[in-house]
Amino acid sequence: MTIPFLDLGSLHESIRKDLDGAIARVLDSSAFAGGRYVKEFEDAFAAYCGTDYAVGVGNGTEALWLALLALDLPADAEVITVPNTFIATIEAISFAGTTPRFVDIDEATYTMDPKLLEAAVTPKTGAIIPVHLYGQLAEMDPILKIAEKHGVPVIEDASQAHGAMYNGRRAGSIGLAGCFSFYPGKNLGALGEAGAVTTNDPDLAARLRSLRDHGQSRKYHHDAVGWNARMDGIQGSVLSVKLAHLDYWNTLRQEAAAQYDDLLDGTNGIVLPYSRNKHGHVHHLYVIRTSDRDGLAASLSADGISTGIHYPVPIHRTNAYGHLNLANGSFPVTETVSAEILSLPMYPGLSRDQCERVADRIRASVLPAGKPS
Ligand SMILES: *Cc1c(COP(=O)(O)O)cnc(C)c1O
C-alpha cells in the first residue's frame, strides 16, 4: 500500500456530481472567459476572506504580478520578500520591473523574520511581500507596524494559506492586498490554473480589473496597457463549489497534522512544525526537519511513502537569480533549513492509519541523534 503525497482524485470523487454540475452550467451559458461564474466566485471568495473585493485572474503568479503593477511603483523600486518561497513570488517582482530584496526567515515558522525586516527597508522600498508559507501566516502585526512606519504597502502572498487565520483575521484581508493561487494542489484548488487578488481598496480593485482585461473599461476602449489575465469561467464555477468545502477540508488537514504531532512527538532527530495558533494554521504542508533529510526521504520512498521538499534551493541560490550575486551565507536560516526540511504526505482525508504508517517508518529510520543544527 503506497501513500501519495497528495490525493486529489479521492477529494474530487467525493463531490463529483457538484463539479460536473458546475462545468455543465458554464457549457450551458457559454460564459467561458471571465463572466458571471467568475463574478459569483469573486463575491463568495471576498466574503469568505472578509474583504470588499476579490479579482479573479489566471493564476497565482499573475495575482502577485498584477498586484505589484497596480501599485505603479517607480522603476528603481525594491520589493522585500523572503528567499524561502516558491519562485513565483520573486518572478512577479522581476516582471513588475522591480528588484527583489530578501530578508531571512524565522526558524520556528519558516516565514519572514520581522526582526530583520526594518534593516532591509530603504528609500527605494516599494512594497513588502510576506509569504504565508505551509498554511501559516507570517507574523503580520510587527511586519505591518514597520511597513506603516515607512509608508510601504504590504502585499500578502497567501497562495498556501486559504482560510488561515491571524488574530481573528483571514489570510488575504490584512495587507493592502492578498494574492492567492488556486493551482490544483493548493488548499483551494481549481481544475486547472486560477488565482485571485483580495483587497478592501476600491481603486486598487478597479485597477486590477482593468489590468487583467487589456486595460479596458468598455470593450475595445483601452485606458491603459494591460494584459489578458482573466480567470476561466469553468474555474470560477468549480471554485464556487469547492469553496463551500474549504473549511471542512482545512479541518481534516488540521486533524491529520494533530495526528502526526502526536505520533512523532519526542522522536529523536526531528523537529516538528510549530503552530503559533492551532486553529489558524491550515497545514497546506506538514514540514519536518532532520539533518539526514535525503536519507529519510529515501527510506520513506522505499516503503511507498511519497514526500516533497519545499523548497530545496533558496531563491537567491537558484541559477535564475544568480545575477543578484548573493553568496552562500547571505540568508543562513533559509540556507540551513533548505537542506533539512521534508514535507510529509498531507491532504484532506489522510487517514489515521496512513499517519501511523508514516510515523512508524520515520521512527524506524536511522536518524542522527539530537536535533538538527
Ligand atoms: C503556488 C504558489 C504561487 C504561484 O501560484 P501559481 O498559481 O502556480 O502561479 C506563488 N506563491 C506561492 C507561495 C505559492 O505556493
Side-chain angles (χ1 to χ4, degrees):
M1 186 191 65
T2 61
I3 302 181
F5 182 64
L6 171 68
D7 181 5
L8 286 177
S10 308
L11 194 75
H12 290 146
E13 214 37 59
S14 73
I15 54 165
R16 179 62 184 257
K17 275 208 177 68
D18 293 343
L19 293 176
D20 286 341
I23 293 167
R25 278 194 290 285
V26 179
L27 273 177
D28 291 341
S29 69
S30 294
F32 293 119
R36 62 184 274 207
Y37 294 106
V38 170
K39 175 79 174 77
E40 271 179 30
F41 171 68
E42 289 172 336
D43 292 346
F45 192 62
Y48 176 84
C49 292
T51 59
D52 290 341
Y53 310 98
V55 179
V57 295
N59 55 60
T61 311
E62 284 182 343
L64 288 157
W65 174 52
L66 295 187
L68 286 172
L69 282 185
L71 296 180
D72 228 346
L73 298 172
D76 65 347
E78 297 173 348
V79 176
I80 298 176
T81 190
V82 287
N84 180 41
T85 179
F86 181 54
I87 195 168
T89 320
I90 328 299
E91 288 172 327
I93 296 170
S94 300
F95 270 71
T98 55
T99 303
R101 203 181 156 106
F102 297 108
V103 299
D104 211 346
I105 55 168
D106 169 71
E107 195 166 346
T109 62
Y110 306 108
T111 62
M112 180 179 281
D113 186 342
K115 293 192 298 301
L116 303 175
L117 175 57
E118 190 145 29
V121 176
T122 74
K124 291 182 177 173
T125 304
I128 299 170
I129 309 184
V131 181
H132 305 327
L133 208 67
Y134 308 153
Q136 172 157 253
L137 273 82
E139 189 71 274
M140 290 303 283
D141 282 345
I143 291 172
L144 286 174
K145 217 166 138 193
I146 293 162
E148 271 160 26
K149 181 173 151 196
H150 294 275
V152 174
V154 172
I155 308 284
E156 300 168 64
D157 185 342
S159 296
Q160 299 191 7
H162 315 72
M165 305 282 287
Y166 179 89
N167 292 345
R169 287 167 296 170
R170 281 227 200 261
S173 71
I174 303 173
L176 174 65
C179 298
F180 289 86
S181 162
F182 304 116
Y183 182 75
K186 306 286 162 121
N187 287 39
L188 179 60
L191 301 182
E193 307 276 356
V197 184
T198 50
T199 185
N200 288 320
D201 183 322
D203 296 331
L204 186 72
R207 280 203 296 283
L208 286 163
R209 274 189 226 105
S210 164
L211 281 170
R212 74 164 171 193
D213 195 20
H214 303 291
Q216 61 188 357
S217 44
R218 268 190 305 146
K219 198 161 189 159
Y220 305 133
H221 289 73
H222 308 278
D223 307 319
V225 180
W227 196 254
N228 176 0
R230 295 180 298 254
M231 184 190 279
D232 278 1
I234 286 180
Q235 303 310 339
S237 186
V238 154
L239 283 166
S240 290
V241 165
K242 292 185 76 176
L243 177 60
H245 300 272
L246 176 60
D247 282 340
Y248 174 60
W249 288 334
N250 280 343
T251 306
L252 294 181
R253 287 176 181 273
Q254 288 167 340
E255 284 173 11
Q259 280 164 6
Y260 277 142
D261 285 348
D262 257 11
L263 295 160
L264 292 169
D265 186 36
T267 307
N268 202 26
I270 63 169
V271 174
L272 298 181
Y274 163 79
S275 303
R276 198 183 297 115
N277 167 349
K278 292 264 176 237
H279 303 291
H281 195 319
V282 295
H283 295 284
H284 174 59
L285 297 168
Y286 188 91
V287 177
I288 64 170
R289 268 178 80 187
T290 180
S291 50
D292 185 20
R293 185 263 314 282
D294 294 340
L296 180 59
S299 148
L300 291 170
S301 169
D303 208 36
I305 298 165
S306 301
T307 57
I309 302 171
H310 303 87
Y311 295 89
V313 185
I315 302 302
H316 66 286
R317 302 298 298 155
T318 60
N319 292 335
Y321 283 97
H323 61 276
L324 296 176
N325 291 317
L326 293 165
N328 222 4
S330 305
F331 303 101
V333 180
T334 295
E335 289 160 17
T336 301
V337 304
S338 68
E340 299 181 340
I341 47 182
L342 185 67
S343 309
L344 302 184
M346 172 52 72
Y347 49 88
L350 184 73
S351 70
R352 165 113 208 149
D353 282 357
Q354 288 173 311
C355 291
E356 267 172 12
R357 259 203 52 216
V358 175
D360 286 348
R361 189 67 224 168
I362 290 173
R363 281 197 305 262
S365 304
V366 184
L367 294 170
K371 301 259 177 199
S373 49

